[in-house]
Amino acid sequence: GGWDGSEYIYKQYLENNPGSNLTYNEYAKQFSYNYGDGLGGGVNDSNPINWGPRLDAGLLLDQWSTGPDSPWNSRPDNIKDYFRTGVNFENNIAVSASGEKAYGRVSFTNLNTKGIIDFTDQTQNTINASFTVMPSDRITANANISYLKKESENIPNNGYSGASVDFAWTQRDFDTKYVKEIFERQGNEGFMFPNGDNPYYSLKNLTSFFRDRAFGNASIDYKITDWLSILGRGGIDFYNEYRKDITQSGTSGNIRRGRGGQFNQTQIYSKETNLDLILSFDKEFGDFHFDALGGANYRNNLYKNMYMLANDLTVPDLYTISNAKGNPTVNMYDYEKETNSLFFAANGSYKDFLYLGITGRNDWSSTLPSDNWSYFYPSVSLGFVVTDAFQVDSDLFSYAKLRSSWAKVGGDTGPYQLNRTYSAGTFNSISIFSPTGTMPPANLLPEETRSYEIGAELRFLNDRINLDVTYYDQVTANQILSVATSRTTGYGAMLLNAGEIENKGVELMLNGQIIQLASGFSWNASLNWAKNKSVVNKLYGELESYQISPGFGGAKSLGIPGEEWGILWGLPFVRNDDGKVIVNSNGIPLTTNEGKNLGSVTPDYTAGFRNSFGYKGLNLSVLLDVRRGGKFFSTSAWHSYPTGTYEVTTKNNVRETGLIVDGVKEDGNANDIRVSAQDYFGGSWMWNNHEYSILDGSFVKLREVVLGYDFNVSNIGWLYKLNLSFVGRNLAILYRDESTKELGLDPEAGLGGGDFGVGFENFQIPTSRSYGFKLSASF
């Protein structure tokens, strides 16, 4: 029979073969299970799908994890068992002091994190210091400095190939705890598994990083007169970071190829420098008050990147470039960007009820053509306090302010995109220079965003109810995009002013002091609500779309003229004019290679609702977060059909009875063809379909709960304040669409990061709740 890596089978072997001299590892190599195809109905473990016989039905089968003729049982917690409870420890201490001529503050924060996946961690130490010195009535010197050291031996990897256990391709009888026991006993030696390596051994293929960052500024303000001053300020923000990925020599791929492991390392250096000179004016003339400033700014951005890769190592698992077997891959990239600016701002008010503000700025950017590198952008704002202007004195209507503004903002692009550039390489020791794949622009213009805003701030019942409402409309023209072009040009893309996007929406904030009792009990509530609509108004020339993100599996997000920004584009079901799914002669949905708009990533609205309660030192705060609408493509959903891993493939006893697809045949008659669950869910058609993987991003979350108590320390002279709080965050998903609920997904995983990731869930690490205690003391 086979061997599952456990000691009891090895002991049975020794009992039955008393003369054997085979060691534990020798026995493992000779008798370990090694199924060849895994296509026998989902039983053989080397094919990681779940189309075998019913689990927990008393069947006895030869299995990888439990040996020959063992019960065919499910492991309902095998995914949960893969994770552990993460822990955060945060410690902060701050000291402040003040005197007649100076004051300052220094703080230190230490954060240690143990992740929810084994061997993941992160440490961060931060020092902040701020000092102000006033040697005379006219001179004020200020300095703010922060230093941050952040490092991790291993950060978790997201994405399709990031996790060492791909839960979409994991059998429901996979014994996670047992696999960990094998790793702790023997590492990866003798391990046989469909994906090649013990998943816990794969977690030791580390992704580490180390970052030193410092940022701050120093300034001197000199008061020329009581109403005129000049300020000189310099600031810097830089970091130096190392990133390193290693692959151990003992992985199955390296063993087959006889390699000693691989590694790559990246060094990133980034520095931004700002210098400012500002002249300020502040003076009153009767009922009028004026303040203004004018100045200049110099900004320099410097970036350096060095990369090296060793595909094989002479001494196994010695991760240094001098140990590389053969020629290592090396690369470097540097850039520098400069912007010079002149700016002004002026504000005026009349009797503290009428306010007018004007600003203007002109930038000269090194990343734009010389004919277009200068661009000016102004703004104007107006505010009117109705209650003060008309001297309204009412407990019911306490305060009313109307406001409006208009602004224009310019923007540039990254460096070295105006001319043809080349990347260097070698072939057989001969230097090769290759041109960039993006065609340089002919006459690039700066981006230009014009916006206007109107709003009102209203207070009622002696300020116990506050309402703030804003409507905005923002149009970005001359948007700088890299747009795909015909390969006959010699390039894959072209940089140009390709788009115009309009954002408009409404934001609302409502605060209320609902209960304020003399006994000390209070209840305050706040509600914020926002609705934003982003539309691609037009694109350059005859462009029908531009790609925002390449997505996954052929699904992508596009900008399409006349449509909302972020359209998910993919392959749909083939439907008739009535919207019914069309099936073939076998009762399986037809597929198509013609893409279609499958929905927008933009939600209908977002909202937050906080309630705060207090009573004699006890305080409670509860925050709910709401998102309504917005679609996303789920890689987990895309794999839920073929692998048979998810509940959707077992609902309504479908594996025993099969199903009839709700649709019509090609001749238009109602479909009456019954198909097996595996033929439907596991059929090849679903790899050519994205529609069933488009999910609703709606959710209601219990985002935060804070329960704290302020201790009475009035009798302790050296102690000013003492508070102990329980803090819980991301505690529960109170509502989500059934499509995400049945897959066990957090819809927020589909929000992505930046434009590139918005609208795509790609086997992200599960989101987690956190809860703990916070102790604060002031002396």
Side-chain angles (χ1 to χ4, degrees):
W3 178 75
D4 68 332
S6 60
E7 293 181 344
Y8 80 89
I9 292 182
Y10 173 61
K11 290 178 181 179
Q12 288 180 340
Y13 167 80
L14 293 179
E15 291 175 0
N16 296 328
N17 300 272
S20 175
N21 294 319
L22 284 179
T23 66
Y24 182 90
N25 289 331
E26 289 172 342
Y27 181 86
K29 292 178 181 179
Q30 289 192 28
F31 296 98
S32 59
Y33 274 102
N34 187 10
Y35 291 110
D37 55 28
L39 299 178
V43 175
N44 294 343
D45 288 330
S46 63
N47 193 41
I49 58 175
N50 292 272
W51 291 110
R54 178 185 285 274
L55 295 165
D56 304 321
L59 294 175
L60 297 178
L61 297 171
D62 288 358
Q63 297 172 64
W64 167 83
S65 60
T66 49
D69 295 328
S70 56
W72 182 243
N73 293 332
S74 62
R75 310 283 178 177
D77 292 329
N78 65 342
I79 294 177
K80 178 181 177 181
D81 291 340
Y82 180 71
F83 298 97
R84 65 183 184 182
T85 300
V87 180
N88 292 329
F89 292 98
E90 183 172 356
N91 302 284
N92 172 268
I93 186 171
V95 178
S96 60
S98 61
E100 184 179 349
K101 295 291 186 179
Y103 56 89
R105 184 179 188 273
V106 178
S107 70
F108 171 76
T109 302
N110 166 259
L111 177 63
N112 282 294
T113 300
K114 182 180 76 171
I116 63 174
I117 295 178
D118 283 276
F119 316 123
T120 59
D121 69 328
Q122 186 168 287
T123 302
Q124 181 174 304
N125 293 303
T126 306
I127 299 175
N128 300 105
S130 62
F131 304 97
T132 299
V133 179
M134 298 165 288
S136 72
D137 292 339
R138 294 191 177 276
I139 298 176
T140 301
N142 181 274
N144 298 280
I145 304 169
S146 295
Y147 169 73
L148 185 150
K149 181 178 180 181
K150 191 173 186 179
E151 58 186 319
S152 173
E153 289 294 326
N154 189 29
I155 58 176
N157 286 315
N158 268 313
Y160 186 83
S161 59
S164 60
V165 171
D166 186 344
F167 299 118
W169 294 100
T170 299
Q171 305 93 315
R172 297 307 303 148
D173 66 321
F174 181 79
D175 192 341
T176 309
K177 287 184 176 180
Y178 182 63
V179 170
K180 188 174 185 178
E181 291 174 7
I182 295 175
F183 167 74
E184 292 173 345
R185 182 172 60 240
Q186 65 192 60
N188 208 39
E189 186 176 355
F191 189 86
M192 292 294 180
F193 185 61
N195 296 332
D197 298 306
N198 189 306
Y200 287 92
Y201 179 80
S202 299
L203 289 177
K204 298 292 285 185
N205 293 329
L206 306 179
T207 298
S208 61
F209 79 94
F210 177 91
R211 171 184 280 196
D212 275 314
R213 183 186 178 192
F215 56 93
N217 62 74
S219 64
I220 297 179
D221 190 344
Y222 177 70
K223 295 186 68 174
I224 302 171
T225 68
D226 291 341
W227 49 270
L228 187 64
S229 63
I230 188 169
L231 172 73
R233 180 173 59 204
I236 192 170
D237 183 351
F238 78 90
Y239 67 85
N240 190 41
E241 180 174 320
Y242 288 90
R243 303 175 182 175
K244 191 170 187 176
D245 295 277
I246 69 168
T247 303
Q248 302 164 99
S249 61
T251 60
S252 58
N254 280 329
I255 291 176
R256 288 196 302 270
R257 296 176 178 87
R259 293 179 176 177
Q262 300 90 33
F263 85 96
N264 65 76
Q265 181 169 298
T266 303
Q267 181 188 8
I268 300 173
Y269 175 84
S270 176
K271 182 177 73 171
E272 178 177 322
T273 304
N274 279 275
L275 299 175
D276 296 292
L277 184 64
I278 302 172
L279 185 67
S280 300
F281 168 93
D282 192 328
K283 195 172 180 60
E284 292 187 358
F285 300 91
D287 292 332
F288 294 91
H289 179 268
F290 294 98
D291 65 81
L293 62 84
N297 169 261
Y298 165 81
R299 184 172 76 247
N300 176 277
N301 293 89
L302 182 64
Y303 178 88
K304 297 177 181 290
N305 182 302
M306 290 187 290
Y307 173 82
M308 54 187 179
L309 165 69
N311 274 317
D312 195 4
L313 300 174
T314 302
V315 178
D317 300 328
L318 178 59
Y319 305 106
T320 177
I321 202 66
S322 60
N323 187 43
K325 182 182 292 186
N327 294 324
T329 299
V330 294
N331 201 354
M332 63 180 294
Y333 174 71
D334 298 348
Y335 80 66
E336 186 172 10
K337 171 182 174 180
E338 287 189 359
T339 304
N340 294 299
S341 306
L342 293 175
F343 55 87
F344 73 88
N347 300 289
S349 66
Y350 174 68
K351 289 186 176 182
D352 291 332
F353 69 76
L354 183 62
Y355 300 87
L356 176 67
I358 301 173
T359 70
R361 184 182 180 106
N362 199 97
D363 286 352
W364 290 263
S365 173
S366 65
T367 65
L368 294 172
S370 57
D371 291 340
N372 300 323
W373 66 13
S374 172
Y375 50 96
F376 177 73
Y377 44 101
S379 75
V380 59
S381 62
L382 183 66
F384 180 59
V385 182
V386 178
T387 48
D388 288 352
F390 298 104
Q391 298 181 351
V392 176
D393 185 9
S394 170
D395 293 340
L396 176 63
F397 194 42
S398 311
Y399 181 83
K401 180 180 180 179
L402 304 177
R403 63 180 184 271
S404 64
S405 66
W406 174 90
K408 173 185 170 184
V409 178
D412 56 9
T413 185
Y416 312 135
Q417 301 194 60
L418 302 179
N419 300 301
R420 177 179 294 186
T421 57
Y422 294 84
S423 59
T426 59
F427 180 75
N428 289 334
S429 300
I430 300 174
S431 296
I432 298 175
F433 292 87
S434 304
T436 177
T438 301
M439 181 185 297
N443 186 33
L444 196 66
L445 298 172
E447 288 188 349
E448 181 180 285
T449 300
R450 297 175 181 266
S451 64
Y452 72 86
E453 176 183 303
I454 57 174
E457 182 183 352
L458 308 173
R459 303 176 195 168
F460 306 92
L461 302 176
N462 288 324
D463 296 345
R464 291 188 62 174
I465 298 178
N466 300 336
L467 175 64
D468 195 302
V469 182
T470 302
Y471 172 81
Y472 60 89
D473 191 320
Q474 175 180 294
V475 177
T476 299
N478 297 330
Q479 189 180 22
I480 300 174
L481 300 171
S482 179
V483 177
T485 187
S486 171
R487 286 288 180 180
T488 58
T489 63
Y491 297 91
M494 180 178 183
L495 191 72
L496 45 78
N497 298 110
E500 179 182 291
I501 294 179
E502 182 174 10
N503 281 285
K504 55 185 175 182
V506 177
E507 296 177 349
L508 180 149
M509 174 69 76
L510 178 64
N511 297 296
Q513 300 176 23
I514 299 175
I515 297 177
Q516 299 287 335
L517 300 180
S519 63
F521 178 77
S522 64
W523 174 19
N524 298 326
S526 64
L527 170 69
N528 64 76
W529 182 89
K531 179 178 178 62
N532 176 78
K533 186 174 183 180
S534 182
V535 177
V536 179
N537 285 343
K538 58 184 179 182
L539 292 177
Y540 175 83
E542 297 181 358
L543 281 176
E544 296 181 354
S545 66
Y546 74 93
Q547 181 172 281
I548 299 170
S549 172
F552 184 84
K556 54 191 173 183
S557 62
L558 300 177
I560 302 173
E563 301 283 353
E564 290 190 62
W565 180 92
I567 291 298
L568 293 173
W569 193 265
L571 301 177
F573 287 101
V574 178
R575 300 177 184 271
N576 65 7
D577 294 338
D578 296 327
K580 286 285 189 179
V581 174
I582 301 176
V583 301
N584 62 21
S585 58
N586 296 318
I588 300 297
L590 292 175
T591 61
T592 176
N593 290 321
E594 185 176 346
K596 180 183 176 182
N597 179 348
L598 299 178
S600 169
V601 301
T602 304
D604 299 329
Y605 64 83
T606 58
F609 184 46
R610 181 184 292 276
N611 285 274
S612 301
F613 306 89
Y615 181 70
K616 293 184 177 180
L618 188 67
N619 47 78
L620 172 66
S621 174
V622 180
L623 174 64
L624 299 178
D625 259 3
V626 179
R627 172 186 166 99
R628 178 64 180 175
K631 303 294 185 181
F632 68 97
F633 174 83
S634 169
T635 305
S636 297
W638 202 47
H639 288 75
S640 64
Y641 279 23
T643 62
T645 304
Y646 296 84
E647 185 181 3
V648 66
T649 65
T650 64
K651 292 173 64 175
N652 302 319
N653 209 36
V654 67
R655 296 213 177 185
E656 284 70 23
T657 63
L659 75 157
I660 298 175
V661 177
D662 183 14
V664 298
K665 300 176 182 178
E666 294 181 81
D667 60 9
N669 293 321
N671 177 37
D672 57 1
I673 305 172
R674 184 170 293 274
V675 297
S676 72
Q678 186 170 1
D679 286 343
Y680 176 73
F681 292 108
S684 60
W685 69 271
M686 43 32 165
W687 294 122
N688 204 50
N689 184 295
H690 301 114
E691 186 175 345
Y692 72 91
S693 305
I694 302 296
L695 307 183
D696 189 297
S698 301
F699 63 78
V700 178
K701 283 192 172 187
L702 180 56
R703 180 69 72 186
E704 181 182 79
V705 173
V706 181
L707 176 62
Y709 184 73
D710 292 315
F711 291 91
N712 185 354
V713 294
S714 58
N715 295 326
I716 306 176
W718 51 270
L719 187 59
Y720 174 71
K721 185 178 181 180
L722 182 65
N723 176 272
L724 178 64
S725 298
F726 166 82
V727 181
R729 294 190 174 93
N730 208 38
L731 293 175
I733 303 176
L734 304 179
Y735 167 81
R736 53 184 158 170
D737 189 79
E738 286 299 321
S739 62
T740 57
K741 186 176 182 179
E742 71 177 1
L743 293 171
L745 292 176
D746 182 346
E748 210 165 7
L751 300 183
D755 293 349
F756 194 82
V758 172
F760 294 95
E761 177 273 325
N762 192 13
F763 289 153
Q764 272 88 350
I765 294 172
T767 53
S768 59
R769 66 173 57 91
S770 66
Y771 41 88
F773 292 93
K774 179 181 179 180
L775 179 64
S776 301
S778 300
F779 305 95

